[in-house]
Amino acid sequence: MRIVIAGGHGQIALRLERLLAGRGDEVAGIIRHREQGEDLRTVGAEPVLCDLESATVEQVAAHLQGADAAVFAAGAGPGSGAARKDTVDRGAAVLFADAAVRTGVRRYIVVSSMGADANHPGDEVFDAYLRAKGKADAYVRGQSALDWTILRPGALTNDAGSGLVRLEASTGRGSIPRDDVATVLAELVDTSATAGLTLELISGSTPVSVAVKSVAGN
């Protein structure tokens, strides 16, 4: 498969790229800064230079030509203000979805956030982040041309992955290593029967492959 990942230099994306390349997939990661390219090459991914805050849908679609799946894993990141939560976490997600539709890439995975809600109240930056994620998720759900799955991890950690998770429509609060998020994403890319599902993810007691199979088609 050829898989294109938006936010290709993110902590989850780099882990996912390593996993996908390691199993023989062709992986491209969209990055904003040329100097990030070497980190992608190290994990086996092809760096693609494109600023999703300023690119047109036609420019992004060109990078999705020939892809079998697209993964949106971009984010404004810590330290960014409410304005960039909107331009990246919402705007870039909408742009990437539009580009996938235009290119005919049906399989579309979103890395969202637990608590994402277009109507989330509050004036803090994190409140703006949850609203932006919620609006992006709602937009993707409205795209009938996409076989989308939205993944909402709990609090992210850099602990070593255990491969044991809880993956359900609603899990309750919890944490999850980025390693395990990447492993779940790799499994979801291959499991189109999870299309149409919004799933929460925290650490648990079920092996990833079993957890994904158990929600597939539900």
Side-chain angles (χ1 to χ4, degrees):
M1 294 177 72
R2 177 172 173 80
I3 300 141
V4 179
I5 301 171
H9 195 257
Q11 295 187 66
I12 291 172
L14 286 168
R15 289 166 166 84
L16 176 60
E17 287 155 1
R18 186 186 297 275
L19 288 174
L20 295 174
R23 73 185 193 187
D25 288 323
E26 182 183 343
V27 190
I30 295 177
I31 55 175
R32 293 180 64 223
H33 303 294
R34 191 177 303 276
E35 59 268 24
Q36 296 170 335
E38 192 54 40
D39 290 336
L40 271 71
R41 293 185 190 95
T42 297
V43 298
E46 167 200 346
V48 174
L49 194 63
C50 180
D51 186 347
L52 295 176
E53 286 183 271
S54 60
T56 65
V57 67
E58 291 82 6
Q59 288 169 331
V60 180
H63 298 306
L64 282 166
Q65 289 289 345
D68 300 292
V71 179
F72 185 82
S80 58
R84 290 203 68 229
K85 302 304 183 190
D86 185 68
T87 57
V88 179
D89 293 285
R90 184 203 58 80
V94 167
L95 176 70
F96 199 59
D98 286 346
V101 170
R102 181 164 300 200
T103 320
V105 180
R106 291 203 62 92
R107 189 69 180 121
Y108 191 86
I109 314 292
V110 177
V111 183
S112 184
S113 173
M114 191 174 289
D117 180 352
N119 298 309
H120 181 82
D123 300 321
E124 301 297 322
V125 171
F126 190 67
D127 298 323
Y129 167 76
L130 292 177
R131 282 193 295 274
K133 281 292 193 185
K135 290 174 183 176
D137 291 354
Y139 186 83
V140 169
R141 288 194 192 104
Q143 304 307 305
S144 60
L146 297 177
D147 294 330
W148 54 264
T149 303
I150 295 170
L151 183 67
R152 292 179 166 177
L156 299 170
T157 75
N158 286 324
D159 298 337
S162 68
L164 300 173
V165 301
R166 183 176 176 188
L167 180 70
E168 299 170 14
S170 179
T171 61
R173 295 286 174 177
S175 61
I176 181 81
R178 289 178 173 86
D179 286 351
D180 287 333
V181 177
T183 303
V184 170
L185 288 168
E187 195 81 19
L188 288 174
V189 165
D190 282 344
T191 312
S192 58
T194 59
L197 298 181
T198 300
L199 300 166
E200 294 185 349
L201 174 67
I202 58 174
S203 291
S205 58
T206 306
V208 167
S209 60
V210 176
V212 171
K213 286 184 176 68
S214 71
V215 298
N218 293 340

